[in-house]
Amino acid sequence: MQLANRVNTFGRHMQAKYGQRVHKLALNASFTCPNRDGSKGIGGCTFCNNVSFSPNAKQPPSIAQQIEAGRRVIQKRTGARRYLAYFQAYTNTYADIAYLKGLYDAALAEPDVIGLSVGTRPDCVPDPVLDLLAAYQQQGFEVWLELGLQSANDATLARVNRGHGWAEYQDAILRARVRGLQVCTHLIVGLPGEVAWDSVTSFERVRELGAASTATQGLKLHPLHIVKGTQLARQWKQGLYEGVPFDAYVEAAVAILQRSPPALVHHRLTGTADPRILLSPGWCAKKWAVLNAIAQGLARPVATSSMGRRWSSGLIATA
Ligand code: SF4
């Protein structure tokens, strides 16, 4: 069953807009994060692996070298010939504006890079950054601002030490959308203290934020990964947290898709972590099993089971 027949996936959206495959090419520009260096918080989100924050972490290759390596792999695997430079690792707007411009310009200088996708936190998008991204869009580049919200519930965000709340997201998306920027909102299913269905509630809050001109235009969804070197991994080993089950995840994803406006672009419906550090859930490594189950769920009548409503990830008492 073809998921793209039922869902406005990022791939389908790009194909319709550009008449060819456009693929995101993930980059690591050695950013850090204000939730780790003390400007917003210390220690970071409880699920965030901090290996890359080590002073001994290896410096990644230049932007041009990463693009060259990435395009070879993607071309071979998918046949795509056009790319969005995806500034993915950590907080990709956390630097002064001249430095950011240098990095983004370097990516856009590649002839087959037609735009940018910039991942960041809602409390780290000052107006000059939004103006810079909007200027690229006005020049004809495809630009997406990817905002990590994860949950629309402030108690959950506090529990995972996110260092921002719903209010910062509201502020960021309104300032981005006023400039006509495309925003993709990230949500995580299975955060501590939530039932999987809480992600459906988060999505409804995001969707109902405003009219089409002020709401998110894209969504990225994945299960919470328990990875080595995190506070969450320690809680999981102590039995304080249990990874989200496959069925609960699929049910929440299906419910979100059923509630999505047709034009919403679904950038991702599941995801996994590097197998060298992933502890749980093991099922998230089987991407196609997850996507097939979501497609089958969409083909069934609405309201299948109550798994997503029942399963709870614990840690409520320790918040
Ligand atoms: S998950 Fe993102 S926002 Fe949280 S500590 Fe890691 S880099 Fe920072």
Side-chain angles (χ1 to χ4, degrees):
M1 190 173 315
Q2 273 288 329
L3 202 54
N5 293 339
R6 295 183 172 274
V7 179
N8 187 28
T9 60
F10 177 77
R12 184 176 109 177
H13 178 73
M14 288 291 116
Q15 179 80 40
K17 190 166 178 181
Y18 293 101
Q20 62 179 307
R21 272 174 175 271
V22 178
H23 220 280
K24 287 188 197 176
L25 202 155
L27 301 172
N28 179 352
S30 281
F31 283 100
T32 177
C33 170
N35 196 24
R36 305 200 68 98
D37 68 5
S39 70
K40 289 283 175 183
I42 295 173
C45 305
T46 61
F47 52 79
C48 181
N49 175 280
N50 59 15
V51 170
S52 302
F53 292 101
S54 150
N56 299 323
K58 236 174 89 190
Q59 188 70 13
S62 72
I63 294 298
Q65 286 169 324
Q66 289 185 55
I67 290 175
E68 172 53 22
R71 74 157 66 86
R72 263 190 270 123
V73 173
I74 294 170
Q75 266 180 20
K76 200 168 163 194
R77 203 180 73 219
T78 70
R81 294 281 187 275
R82 292 288 179 271
Y83 311 98
L84 296 191
Y86 179 21
F87 287 85
Q88 180 179 31
Y90 306 106
T91 305
N92 294 274
T93 54
Y94 190 42
D96 73 62
I97 199 76
Y99 181 75
L100 293 176
K101 185 171 184 316
L103 281 177
Y104 303 155
D105 282 351
L108 293 172
E110 299 290 323
D112 47 6
V113 172
I114 64 164
L116 300 173
S117 211
V118 178
T120 189
R121 294 164 53 87
D123 58 356
C124 203
V125 282
D127 284 347
V129 170
L130 296 178
D131 289 339
L132 176 63
L133 294 176
Y136 290 127
Q137 189 166 272
Q138 280 152 19
Q139 289 164 40
F141 290 113
E142 175 80 24
V143 179
W144 284 88
L145 178 67
E146 303 209 15
L147 287 180
L149 172 62
Q150 320 311 2
S151 169
N153 183 327
D154 280 342
T156 302
L157 296 175
R159 192 176 294 122
V160 298
N161 196 36
R162 215 27 223 170
H164 71 77
W166 168 254
E168 285 86 347
Y169 171 78
Q170 251 182 315
D171 170 61
I173 194 166
L174 291 177
R175 286 186 296 109
R177 298 293 292 124
V178 152
R179 290 166 170 81
L181 275 170
Q182 304 183 99
V183 174
C184 172
T185 301
H186 294 200
L187 292 178
I188 295 178
V189 180
L191 286 166
E194 292 203 341
V195 295
W197 200 261
D198 285 330
S199 295
V200 183
T201 307
S202 283
F203 171 68
E204 287 180 331
R205 203 165 180 204
V206 164
R207 187 194 61 188
E208 287 158 10
L209 193 56
S213 59
T214 54
T216 194
Q217 290 171 304
L219 188 74
K220 185 176 275 187
L221 199 66
H222 71 76
L224 182 57
H225 306 133
I226 307 165
V227 295
K228 292 177 186 170
T230 64
Q231 194 183 328
L232 186 70
R234 287 190 287 281
Q235 292 163 339
W236 176 73
K237 281 179 190 156
Q238 291 165 9
L240 295 170
Y241 173 79
E242 198 185 327
V244 59
F246 178 89
D247 289 351
Y249 180 79
V250 168
E251 187 174 326
V254 168
I256 286 171
L257 289 166
Q258 286 166 337
R259 288 160 176 74
S260 295
L264 188 73
V265 180
H266 290 274
H267 288 234
R268 191 167 68 194
L269 293 171
T270 186
T272 189
D274 185 326
R276 289 169 298 180
I277 58 169
L278 179 67
L279 294 171
S280 184
W283 57 261
C284 69
K286 295 179 183 152
K287 175 183 160 188
W288 287 107
V290 183
L291 295 180
N292 286 337
I294 292 172
Q296 283 163 12
L298 285 172
R300 282 198 291 267
V302 180
T304 48
S305 79
S306 60
M307 183 69 189
R309 291 180 171 87
R310 277 190 288 110
W311 171 81
S312 169
S313 58
L315 271 188
I316 295 171
T318 63

